Amino acid sequence: MDKLIPVVSKLQEIAANSNLHLDIKLPQIVAIGAQASGKSSVLELLVGKDLLPRGSGVVTRAPIVLKLNKSNEEFVLLSRKCFADFAQAKEEIQKQVDLRAGKNKDISHDPVIVSVHSPKVLDMTLVDLPGLTKLPLANQPKDTAEKTRSLARSFITSSDSLILAVSPANVDIANSDALQLAREVDPEGTRTLGVITKLDLAGAGADVVRVIQGKEYPLKLGYVGVVCRSQEDIKTGKSLEQALEDEESFLRKSTYSGIKDLCGISRLTQRLTQILIQHIIEKPVSYTHLRAHETSLHLVCRLLLEKKKKKKK
């Protein structure tokens, strides 16, 4: 999001210089997908912090709402506690999930709210949800599959939510739980961005290339293919920085080198930046004395003109 930060900052600076308070509300980004599809891996790379609970089996058993706040210091606020150590914050998140959902693999609708403060983020919200399932596992209630779907649906129904539909490359796109659910609430695909994970597990990848190009199941916002840390990578302590380097190396040497403009976490970040900037341009914003339904694009133009007039005086 590095390229979006100065854009938002500039808008707020212009407003401040004109004695106005500008309230830019970015859409909530919600990641949905089947269990073990790589949702948490994608979000942690977007945040740039190893913060979300990871492991084998059912790990995300309650919504984890990451409220990102741009600030000069890096810390996490959670459960009325302040954490400067992100590893300790991660342990507390897992503890809060267990408190809500118990330890028998049940699913809770009660979200864990995590406030992340950093100079490298924007004021926005990311949501990690329990993976969509078809059958309950041992010790899970019989309605677990419906619970995961209704929970996801409750977060993505709002038109203010941007859906990251996460699907692994080693599963036929026709069987994507994420795309199926996204289509129910966003039939035109105007706020659904497809994310294809695990490119390194998809063999030759010819069919996956067609998916990422939008030739199999088109989405208006398109697709981005990524390679994230595997469970083994996490166990061996591979850092997020090393994961990004390994992803770049893989993409450069693989079948996906021909569509490099559609692959990689860096490309996903760029695509989200484009979508969010477009959102800022198109959506009405709120600031003191702002005329009804005036868009932020009109606001920028008018404030720039006002600024020039002041300089002439």
Side-chain angles (χ1 to χ4, degrees):
M1 302 293 171
D2 289 350
K3 292 184 179 179
L4 183 56
I5 291 175
V7 173
V8 174
S9 297
K10 186 63 177 177
L11 289 174
Q12 293 170 332
E13 178 188 340
I14 294 171
N17 290 339
S18 299
N19 297 318
L20 297 169
H21 172 69
L22 177 62
D23 182 18
I24 297 176
K25 294 183 178 179
L26 296 175
Q28 176 175 263
I29 298 176
V30 185
I32 63 171
Q35 184 181 315
S37 60
K39 301 185 309 332
S40 300
S41 296
V42 170
L43 292 181
E44 70 179 4
L45 285 169
L46 289 176
V47 176
K49 295 294 180 184
D50 186 354
L51 189 61
L52 295 169
R54 305 292 299 283
S56 58
V58 185
V59 179
T60 307
R61 296 181 297 114
I64 300 176
V65 180
L66 300 173
K67 292 184 173 293
L68 308 186
N69 302 272
K70 190 175 186 300
S71 65
N72 294 326
E73 304 295 331
E74 281 197 331
F75 60 94
V76 175
L77 293 177
L78 171 64
S79 306
R80 299 182 181 180
K81 301 174 186 176
C82 181
F83 298 89
D85 186 328
F86 279 74
Q88 291 181 356
K90 183 176 181 177
E91 291 178 1
E92 181 65 23
I93 291 174
Q94 183 63 68
K95 177 182 175 182
Q96 293 301 318
V97 169
D98 290 341
L99 285 173
R100 286 161 172 75
K103 295 188 177 182
N104 290 325
K105 302 179 182 179
D106 198 1
I107 303 296
S108 172
H109 280 62
D110 186 14
V112 178
I113 310 296
V114 185
S115 183
V116 181
H117 296 253
S118 170
K120 298 180 180 179
V121 302
L122 281 175
D123 294 339
M124 62 186 302
T125 302
L126 304 176
V127 182
D128 190 20
L129 295 172
L132 302 170
T133 62
K134 290 185 172 66
L135 296 171
L137 301 177
N139 297 325
Q140 281 190 321
K142 293 181 179 179
D143 63 347
T144 297
E146 181 50 40
K147 270 187 180 180
T148 59
R149 292 183 69 83
S150 64
L151 178 57
R153 194 179 290 110
S154 70
F155 275 89
I156 64 176
T157 297
S158 170
S159 60
D160 288 329
S161 291
L162 173 61
I163 305 168
L164 287 189
V166 180
S167 307
N170 55 347
V171 174
D172 193 322
I173 197 68
N175 296 321
S176 170
D177 296 300
L179 289 173
Q180 182 185 44
L181 186 59
R183 190 173 190 174
E184 291 179 13
V185 300
D186 180 32
E188 300 300 320
T190 56
R191 54 186 182 87
T192 300
L193 177 62
V195 180
I196 307 300
T197 58
K198 305 186 181 182
L199 297 183
D200 52 332
L201 301 181
D207 292 339
V208 180
V209 168
R210 287 181 55 81
V211 170
I212 296 172
Q213 291 175 322
K215 294 180 179 179
E216 296 294 335
Y217 186 89
L219 291 173
K220 289 185 178 179
L221 296 184
Y223 292 84
V224 177
V226 300
V227 179
C228 301
R229 294 190 301 173
S230 66
Q231 190 55 43
E232 185 60 30
D233 290 334
I234 294 169
K235 286 182 180 179
T236 56
K238 179 185 284 190
S239 67
L240 296 181
E241 293 76 16
Q242 186 60 53
L244 290 172
E245 289 181 17
D246 290 349
E247 179 194 51
E248 184 178 351
S249 176
F250 169 79
L251 293 174
R252 188 169 57 248
K253 301 173 183 177
S254 70
T255 307
Y256 308 102
S257 61
I259 54 167
K260 59 183 180 181
D261 59 328
L262 297 176
C263 293
I265 287 294
S266 60
R267 174 54 186 162
L268 177 58
T269 301
Q270 291 170 4
R271 189 71 190 97
L272 284 172
T273 297
Q274 293 168 353
I275 294 169
L276 293 175
I277 288 178
Q278 191 64 31
H279 174 87
I280 292 172
I281 291 173
E282 293 178 351
K283 293 289 184 179
V285 297
S286 173
Y287 79 100
T288 308
H289 305 311
L290 178 60
R291 290 192 292 271
H293 304 300
E294 183 171 24
T295 68
S296 52
L297 179 59
H298 299 149
L299 167 64
V300 174
C301 294
R302 186 155 63 79
L303 292 182
L304 283 172
L305 289 172
E306 289 176 2
K307 191 174 182 182
K308 287 181 180 178
K309 289 179 182 178
K310 287 181 180 178
K311 284 184 177 180
K312 289 180 180 180
K313 293 179 181 179

Coordinates of all heavy atoms in Angstrom, one line a residue, residues 142-175:
K142 N -22.5 -30.3 13.9 CA -22.9 -30.7 12.5 C -23.2 -29.5 11.6 O -23.2 -29.7 10.4 CB -24.2 -31.6 12.7 CG -24.0 -32.9 13.4 CD -25.2 -33.7 13.5 CE -25.0 -35.1 14.1 NZ -26.2 -35.9 14.3
D143 N -23.5 -28.4 12.2 CA -23.8 -27.2 11.3 C -22.6 -26.3 11.0 O -22.8 -25.2 10.6 CB -24.9 -26.4 12.0 CG -24.5 -25.8 13.3 OD1 -23.4 -26.2 13.9 OD2 -25.2 -24.9 13.9
T144 N -21.4 -26.9 11.2 CA -20.2 -26.1 11.0 C -20.1 -25.5 9.6 O -19.7 -24.3 9.4 CB -19.0 -26.9 11.3 OG1 -19.0 -27.3 12.7 CG2 -17.7 -26.1 11.0
A145 N -20.4 -26.3 8.6 CA -20.3 -25.8 7.2 C -21.2 -24.6 7.0 O -20.8 -23.6 6.4 CB -20.7 -26.9 6.2
E146 N -22.5 -24.7 7.5 CA -23.4 -23.6 7.3 C -22.9 -22.4 8.2 O -23.1 -21.2 7.8 CB -24.8 -24.0 7.7 CG -25.8 -22.9 7.6 CD -25.8 -22.2 6.2 OE1 -25.6 -22.9 5.2 OE2 -25.9 -20.9 6.2
K147 N -22.3 -22.6 9.3 CA -21.8 -21.6 10.2 C -20.8 -20.7 9.4 O -20.8 -19.5 9.5 CB -21.2 -22.1 11.5 CG -22.2 -22.3 12.6 CD -21.4 -22.7 13.9 CE -22.3 -22.9 15.1 NZ -21.5 -23.3 16.3
T148 N -19.8 -21.4 8.8 CA -18.7 -20.7 8.1 C -19.3 -19.9 6.9 O -18.8 -18.8 6.7 CB -17.7 -21.7 7.6 OG1 -18.2 -22.7 6.7 CG2 -17.0 -22.5 8.8
R149 N -20.3 -20.4 6.2 CA -20.8 -19.7 5.1 C -21.7 -18.5 5.6 O -21.5 -17.4 5.0 CB -21.7 -20.6 4.3 CG -20.9 -21.7 3.5 CD -21.9 -22.6 2.7 NE -22.3 -21.8 1.5 CZ -21.7 -21.7 0.4 NH1 -20.5 -22.2 0.3 NH2 -22.2 -21.0 -0.6
S150 N -22.5 -18.7 6.6 CA -23.3 -17.6 7.0 C -22.4 -16.5 7.7 O -22.7 -15.3 7.5 CB -24.3 -18.0 8.1 OG -23.7 -18.5 9.2
L151 N -21.4 -16.9 8.3 CA -20.4 -15.9 8.9 C -19.8 -15.1 7.8 O -19.7 -13.9 7.9 CB -19.4 -16.6 9.8 CG -18.3 -15.8 10.4 CD1 -18.9 -14.7 11.3 CD2 -17.3 -16.7 11.2
A152 N -19.3 -15.8 6.8 CA -18.6 -15.1 5.7 C -19.6 -14.2 5.0 O -19.3 -13.0 4.6 CB -18.0 -16.1 4.7
R153 N -20.8 -14.7 4.8 CA -21.8 -13.9 4.1 C -22.2 -12.6 4.8 O -22.4 -11.6 4.2 CB -23.1 -14.7 3.9 CG -24.1 -14.2 2.9 CD -25.3 -15.0 2.7 NE -25.0 -16.3 2.1 CZ -25.0 -17.5 2.6 NH1 -25.3 -17.6 3.9 NH2 -24.7 -18.6 2.0
S154 N -22.2 -12.7 6.2 CA -22.5 -11.5 7.0 C -21.4 -10.4 6.8 O -21.7 -9.2 7.0 CB -22.6 -11.9 8.4 OG -21.3 -12.2 9.0
F155 N -20.2 -10.8 6.5 CA -19.1 -9.8 6.3 C -19.0 -9.3 4.9 O -18.5 -8.1 4.7 CB -17.8 -10.4 6.7 CG -17.5 -10.3 8.2 CD1 -17.9 -11.3 9.0 CD2 -16.8 -9.2 8.7 CE1 -17.6 -11.2 10.4 CE2 -16.5 -9.1 10.0 CZ -16.9 -10.1 10.9
I156 N -19.4 -10.0 3.9 CA -19.2 -9.6 2.5 C -20.5 -9.1 1.8 O -20.4 -8.6 0.7 CB -18.7 -10.8 1.6 CG1 -19.6 -12.0 1.5 CG2 -17.3 -11.2 2.2 CD1 -19.2 -13.1 0.6
T157 N -21.6 -9.1 2.5 CA -22.9 -8.7 1.9 C -22.9 -7.2 1.6 O -23.4 -6.7 0.6 CB -24.1 -9.1 2.7 OG1 -24.2 -10.5 2.8 CG2 -25.4 -8.5 2.1
S158 N -22.3 -6.4 2.6 CA -22.2 -5.0 2.5 C -21.5 -4.5 1.2 O -20.5 -5.0 0.9 CB -21.6 -4.4 3.7 OG -21.3 -3.0 3.5
S159 N -22.1 -3.5 0.5 CA -21.4 -3.0 -0.7 C -20.1 -2.2 -0.3 O -19.4 -1.9 -1.2 CB -22.4 -2.0 -1.4 OG -22.7 -0.9 -0.5
D160 N -19.9 -2.0 0.9 CA -18.6 -1.3 1.4 C -17.5 -2.3 1.6 O -16.4 -1.9 2.1 CB -18.9 -0.5 2.6 CG -19.7 0.7 2.4 OD1 -19.6 1.3 1.2 OD2 -20.4 1.2 3.2
S161 N -17.8 -3.6 1.3 CA -16.7 -4.6 1.5 C -16.1 -5.0 0.2 O -16.8 -5.2 -0.8 CB -17.3 -5.9 2.2 OG -17.7 -5.6 3.5
L162 N -14.8 -5.0 0.1 CA -14.1 -5.5 -1.0 C -13.7 -7.0 -0.7 O -13.1 -7.3 0.3 CB -12.8 -4.7 -1.3 CG -11.9 -5.2 -2.3 CD1 -12.6 -5.3 -3.7 CD2 -10.6 -4.4 -2.4
I163 N -14.2 -7.9 -1.6 CA -14.0 -9.3 -1.3 C -12.7 -9.9 -2.0 O -12.5 -9.7 -3.2 CB -15.2 -10.1 -1.9 CG1 -16.5 -9.6 -1.3 CG2 -15.0 -11.6 -1.6 CD1 -17.7 -10.1 -2.1
L164 N -11.8 -10.4 -1.2 CA -10.7 -11.2 -1.7 C -11.1 -12.6 -1.7 O -11.1 -13.3 -0.7 CB -9.5 -11.0 -0.8 CG -8.7 -9.7 -0.8 CD1 -7.4 -9.8 0.0 CD2 -8.4 -9.2 -2.2
A165 N -11.4 -13.1 -2.9 CA -11.9 -14.5 -3.1 C -10.6 -15.4 -3.3 O -10.1 -15.4 -4.4 CB -12.8 -14.7 -4.2
V166 N -10.2 -16.1 -2.2 CA -8.9 -16.8 -2.3 C -9.2 -18.3 -2.7 O -10.0 -19.0 -2.0 CB -8.2 -16.7 -0.9 CG1 -6.9 -17.5 -0.9 CG2 -8.0 -15.3 -0.5
S167 N -8.5 -18.7 -3.7 CA -8.6 -20.1 -4.2 C -7.3 -20.7 -4.5 O -6.4 -20.0 -5.1 CB -9.5 -20.1 -5.5 OG -10.7 -19.4 -5.4
P168 N -7.0 -21.9 -4.0 CA -5.7 -22.5 -4.3 C -5.5 -22.9 -5.7 O -6.5 -23.4 -6.3 CB -5.6 -23.7 -3.3 CG -7.0 -24.0 -3.0 CD -7.8 -22.7 -3.1
A169 N -4.4 -22.8 -6.3 CA -4.1 -23.2 -7.7 C -4.2 -24.7 -7.9 O -4.5 -25.1 -9.1 CB -2.7 -22.7 -8.1
N170 N -4.1 -25.5 -6.9 CA -4.1 -26.9 -7.1 C -5.5 -27.5 -6.9 O -5.7 -28.7 -6.8 CB -3.1 -27.6 -6.1 CG -3.4 -27.3 -4.7 OD1 -4.1 -26.4 -4.4 ND2 -2.8 -28.0 -3.8
V171 N -6.5 -26.6 -7.0 CA -7.9 -27.1 -6.9 C -8.6 -26.4 -8.1 O -8.4 -25.3 -8.4 CB -8.6 -26.6 -5.6 CG1 -10.1 -27.0 -5.6 CG2 -8.0 -27.3 -4.4
D172 N -9.4 -27.2 -8.8 CA -10.1 -26.7 -10.0 C -11.0 -25.5 -9.6 O -11.7 -25.5 -8.6 CB -11.1 -27.8 -10.5 CG -11.6 -27.5 -11.9 OD1 -11.9 -26.3 -12.2 OD2 -11.7 -28.4 -12.7
I173 N -10.8 -24.4 -10.4 CA -11.5 -23.2 -10.1 C -13.0 -23.3 -10.1 O -13.8 -22.6 -9.4 CB -11.1 -22.1 -11.2 CG1 -11.5 -20.7 -10.6 CG2 -11.8 -22.3 -12.5 CD1 -10.7 -20.2 -9.5
A174 N -13.5 -24.4 -10.8 CA -15.0 -24.6 -10.8 C -15.5 -25.1 -9.5 O -16.7 -25.0 -9.2 CB -15.3 -25.7 -11.9
N175 N -14.6 -25.5 -8.6 CA -14.9 -26.0 -7.3 C -14.6 -24.9 -6.2 O -14.6 -25.3 -5.0 CB -14.2 -27.3 -7.0 CG -14.7 -28.4 -7.9 OD1 -15.9 -28.5 -8.2 ND2 -13.7 -29.2 -8.3

